[in-house]
């Protein structure tokens, strides 16, 4: 058995970049549609979108900064909560994917809670969210949050007027309590136009890979566009507090929305470089008497590709 050699020169960097581009291309395919006609219409309505090379270059720079932020949060024991709210299909999930793509899932967690159970409906409203709040050295991203009560629950009639009013009275103090406890609370609202949402819903309807994203609630959001608008406006007016203000992300251009949101998030937190001990790869220990056992072929995954 011979000892493996190190990758020569900068071959390791070229391999990493190639792998990175492949990963990004896979994610970008999620934004395409299998319907050529809808794809043409979409391109006509988005003529000035940022070019792929510029987008990837900026995204990789921002993701490298996110790694520094992660290291700083872990090192200092900071606690960060980021809420992502907005219209259905506004691009919240795409931004969350790009934020978490290269980060440690033990440090940066995404929370996307399902509809509450009967037991949870009987609890204090904020109770189901509290167990997911970060401990020291953690960042938690809420893909929709306690603001469900001010949006879908209110518009769809799942919460009474009294429950909604109680929420509006409680949520500012709840968030102030979080901030006083040392949690940084950041709130983003992703905004898209009526026409853009309709286009994205049509793309999902005609793309088998995206149809799972369309729920009955999503379809109702088209019918009740104006009701959601009024609910959002009151929510902003009553919950935009100095300790945890709202930030609106213009989401019609997905690529720009991702870059702008990540850049803004980084600007809100005073992170800095963290000193690390230099990592060196230890030499492999070779035992001349060891022979690798031959495993039965049925244990291996078939090589179809």
């Amino acid at each position: 058995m011979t000892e493996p050699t190190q990758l020569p020169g900068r071959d390791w960097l070229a391999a990493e970049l190639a792998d990175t581009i492949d990963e990004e291309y896979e994610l970008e395919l999620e934004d395409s549609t299998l319907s050529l006609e809808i794809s043409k219409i979409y391109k006509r309505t988005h003529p000035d979108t940022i070019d792929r090379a510029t987008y990837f270059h900026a995204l990789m720079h921002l993701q490298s900064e996110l790694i520094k932020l992660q290291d700083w949060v872990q090192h200092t024991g900071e606690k960060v909560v980021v809420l992502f709210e907005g219209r259905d299909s506004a691009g919240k999930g795409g931004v969350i994917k790009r934020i978490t793509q290269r980060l440690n899932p033990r440090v940066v967690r995404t929370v996307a809670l399902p509809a509450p159970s009967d037991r949870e409906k009987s609890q204090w409203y904020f109770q189901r969210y509290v167990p997911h709040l970060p401990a020291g050295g953690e960042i938690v991203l809420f893909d929709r949050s306690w603001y469900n009560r001010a949006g879908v629950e209110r518009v769809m009639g799942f919460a009474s007027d009294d429950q909604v009013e109680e929420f509006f009275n409680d949520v500012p103090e709840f968030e102030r309590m979080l901030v006083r406890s040392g949690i940084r609370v950041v709130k983003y609202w992703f905004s898209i136009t009526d026409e853009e949402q309709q286009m994205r819903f049509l793309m999902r309807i005609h793309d088998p890979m995206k149809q799972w994203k369309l729920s009955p609630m999503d379809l109702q959001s088209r019918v009740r566009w104006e009701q959601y608008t009024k609910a959002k406006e009151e929510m902003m007016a009553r919950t935009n507090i100095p300790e945890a203000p709202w930030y609106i992300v213009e989401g019609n251009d997905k690529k720009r929305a991702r870059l702008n949101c990540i850049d803004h998030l980084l600007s809100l937190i005073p992170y800095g470089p963290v000193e690390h001990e230099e990592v060196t790869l230890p030499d492999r220990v070779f035992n001349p008497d060891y022979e690798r056992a031959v495993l039965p072929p049925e244990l291996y995954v078939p090589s179809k590709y």
Side-chain angles (χ1 to χ4, degrees):
M1 184 180 295
T2 60
E3 184 174 353
T5 59
Q6 298 282 342
L7 284 173
R10 296 176 63 82
D11 286 357
W12 65 271
L13 180 58
E16 174 64 19
L17 287 174
D19 186 55
T20 294
I21 291 172
D22 286 344
E23 288 179 7
E24 287 296 338
Y25 188 63
E26 287 178 27
L27 287 174
E28 283 303 297
L29 286 177
E30 296 178 3
D31 299 329
S32 65
T33 174
L34 299 186
S35 169
L36 294 178
E37 190 58 35
I38 289 183
S39 179
K40 291 176 184 176
I41 296 172
Y42 188 82
K43 288 178 181 177
R44 284 202 301 270
T45 59
H46 298 77
D48 62 341
T49 189
I50 192 169
D51 67 273
R52 176 175 281 120
T54 302
Y55 168 69
F56 282 158
H57 179 80
L59 180 63
M60 290 191 67
H61 168 71
L62 291 171
Q63 288 179 331
S64 70
E65 291 299 312
L66 284 170
I67 292 172
K68 295 177 186 176
L69 169 63
Q70 169 188 259
D71 288 349
W72 179 82
V73 166
Q74 196 171 20
H75 176 74
T76 59
E78 287 278 336
K79 296 173 282 187
V80 181
V81 163
V82 188
L83 310 186
F84 293 86
E85 297 286 344
R87 300 276 190 182
D88 293 314
S89 78
K92 301 179 295 296
V95 173
I96 292 171
K97 280 183 184 178
R98 274 68 182 187
I99 290 174
T100 60
Q101 186 180 1
R102 308 190 187 285
L103 302 183
N104 184 346
R106 296 180 180 86
V107 178
V108 182
R109 293 184 284 114
T110 300
V111 176
L113 298 183
S117 65
D118 289 340
R119 180 176 183 275
E120 288 172 329
K121 290 176 183 177
S122 71
Q123 295 174 343
W124 174 51
Y125 177 71
F126 297 98
Q127 190 169 337
R128 70 193 296 249
Y129 297 99
V130 170
H132 301 282
L133 293 173
E138 294 179 350
I139 301 172
V140 175
L141 313 177
F142 278 94
D143 186 353
R144 296 204 180 280
S145 66
W146 44 85
Y147 282 97
N148 277 338
R149 175 134 295 178
V152 64
E153 290 187 18
R154 180 183 192 179
V155 173
M156 297 302 297
F158 299 147
S160 67
D161 290 343
D162 288 343
Q163 287 175 319
V164 173
E165 186 62 27
E166 183 181 12
F167 170 81
F168 280 136
N169 291 331
D170 290 348
V171 71
E173 188 53 35
F174 174 68
E175 291 176 355
R176 290 187 184 104
M177 289 170 63
L178 297 182
V179 173
R180 286 198 298 268
S181 75
I183 297 176
R184 295 177 184 269
V185 179
V186 182
K187 302 186 303 197
Y188 286 114
W189 175 271
F190 283 75
S191 178
I192 56 172
T193 60
D194 187 355
E195 296 78 13
E196 180 67 16
Q197 187 187 58
Q198 181 177 7
M199 177 63 66
R200 292 184 186 180
F201 276 15
L202 287 173
M203 290 172 67
R204 290 180 179 183
I205 288 172
H206 290 276
D207 187 344
M209 291 189 177
K210 290 187 176 181
Q211 285 177 2
W212 65 270
K213 293 184 176 184
L214 278 177
S215 69
M217 295 299 162
D218 295 333
L219 298 176
Q220 278 297 312
S221 71
R222 289 298 303 146
V223 177
R224 306 180 190 226
W225 174 274
E226 291 184 4
Q227 290 175 262
Y228 272 101
T229 299
K230 292 176 182 177
K232 177 205 75 172
E233 289 170 350
E234 183 174 2
M235 180 195 76
M236 291 277 186
R238 299 187 65 176
T239 63
N240 186 40
I241 59 176
E243 297 86 349
W246 281 102
Y247 299 103
I248 298 173
V249 180
E250 294 288 349
N252 273 13
D253 188 317
K254 290 183 178 182
K255 291 180 179 178
R256 285 190 170 91
R258 294 165 190 163
L259 299 179
N260 289 333
C261 183
I262 297 172
D263 180 77
H264 183 266
L265 176 61
L266 290 166
S267 74
L268 294 178
I269 303 175
Y271 69 97
V274 176
E275 298 245 347
H276 292 284
E277 292 185 10
E278 185 177 351
V279 178
T280 56
L281 189 64
D283 292 333
R284 156 94 146 79
V285 176
F286 287 88
N287 185 345
D289 299 325
Y290 169 74
E291 288 190 19
R292 183 176 177 179
V294 178
L295 300 176
E298 61 266 21
L299 294 184
Y300 290 89
V301 173
S303 297
K304 289 187 176 181
Y305 302 96

